[in-house]
Amino acid sequence: MGNTHENASGDETPPVRFDTKIAVLLRDDLETWQRLNVTAFLVSGLGTAAPEVIGEPYEDADATAYLPMLRQPVLVFEGTKETLTGAHTKALSRSLKVAVFTSDLFGTGNDRDNRAAVRAVGRDSLDLVGLAVYGPRNAVDKVLKGSRMHP
């Protein structure tokens, strides 16, 4: 089919290309449950800061309504603690939209305490275990340099 694909109605349409990228970078020493938890928390903030990333609501053939989701794929990467620190610095210097998850958040149980835990530590001292980045594709690619796709 080349550069086209078949959509749900059977029509051939050109693939959708985005000039932006949503990426999550996880520290490579996390347990599986932590990776899933961190990823879910990180992407949850994107729609509030960048409403354009949210697609239209879903509906099945029986007209049951479902919530909208992100309109484009979320790519998940992993790297060392140093890779996350470097990516964080680069993302902020490029004024990209960034969400952070620090190791301290594993010990809290609510949003208020999560925010207080992050607020208590300076930007350069955050013990990052994950971050989400959204912005122009090429800028996000530069931020992720040195990381690898999550297996």
Side-chain angles (χ1 to χ4, degrees), residues 89-147:
T89 300
K90 288 185 247 180
L92 293 176
S93 73
R94 287 174 169 75
S95 299
L96 299 176
K97 296 196 183 330
V98 179
V100 296
F101 197 105
T102 67
S103 62
D104 297 330
L105 302 187
F106 290 127
T108 60
N110 61 74
D111 185 53
R112 183 193 67 232
D113 292 342
N114 286 348
R115 286 181 285 111
V118 173
R119 189 180 313 109
V121 180
R123 176 180 52 235
D124 295 336
S125 298
L126 292 171
D127 184 16
L128 297 168
V129 297
L131 59 95
V133 182
Y134 171 72
R137 177 176 290 280
N138 61 347
V140 173
D141 286 343
K142 288 177 183 173
V143 165
L144 296 171
K145 189 172 173 112
S147 66

Side-chain angles (χ1 to χ4, degrees), residues 15-33:
V16 175
R17 302 275 187 229
F18 296 99
D19 58 355
T20 57
K21 184 180 256 187
I22 299 170
V24 171
L25 177 57
L26 302 171
R27 203 163 75 193
D28 59 5
D29 61 350
L30 297 179
E31 298 290 330
T32 300
W33 73 267

Side-chain angles (χ1 to χ4, degrees), residues 37-103:
N37 184 268
V38 170
T39 300
F41 268 95
L42 288 170
V43 298
S44 71
L46 287 175
T48 61
E52 70 273 12
V53 302
I54 303 297
E56 296 295 319
Y58 285 74
E59 184 176 284
D60 64 26
D62 298 316
T64 306
Y66 301 99
L67 295 172
M69 295 186 281
L70 296 172
R71 68 179 180 146
Q72 67 189 88
V74 175
L75 301 173
V76 181
F77 296 82
E78 69 175 6
T80 63
K81 181 176 182 171
E82 294 76 23
T83 301
L84 261 81
T85 300
H88 179 247
T89 300
K90 288 185 247 180
L92 293 176
S93 73
R94 287 174 169 75
S95 299
L96 299 176
K97 296 196 183 330
V98 179
V100 296
F101 197 105
T102 67
S103 62

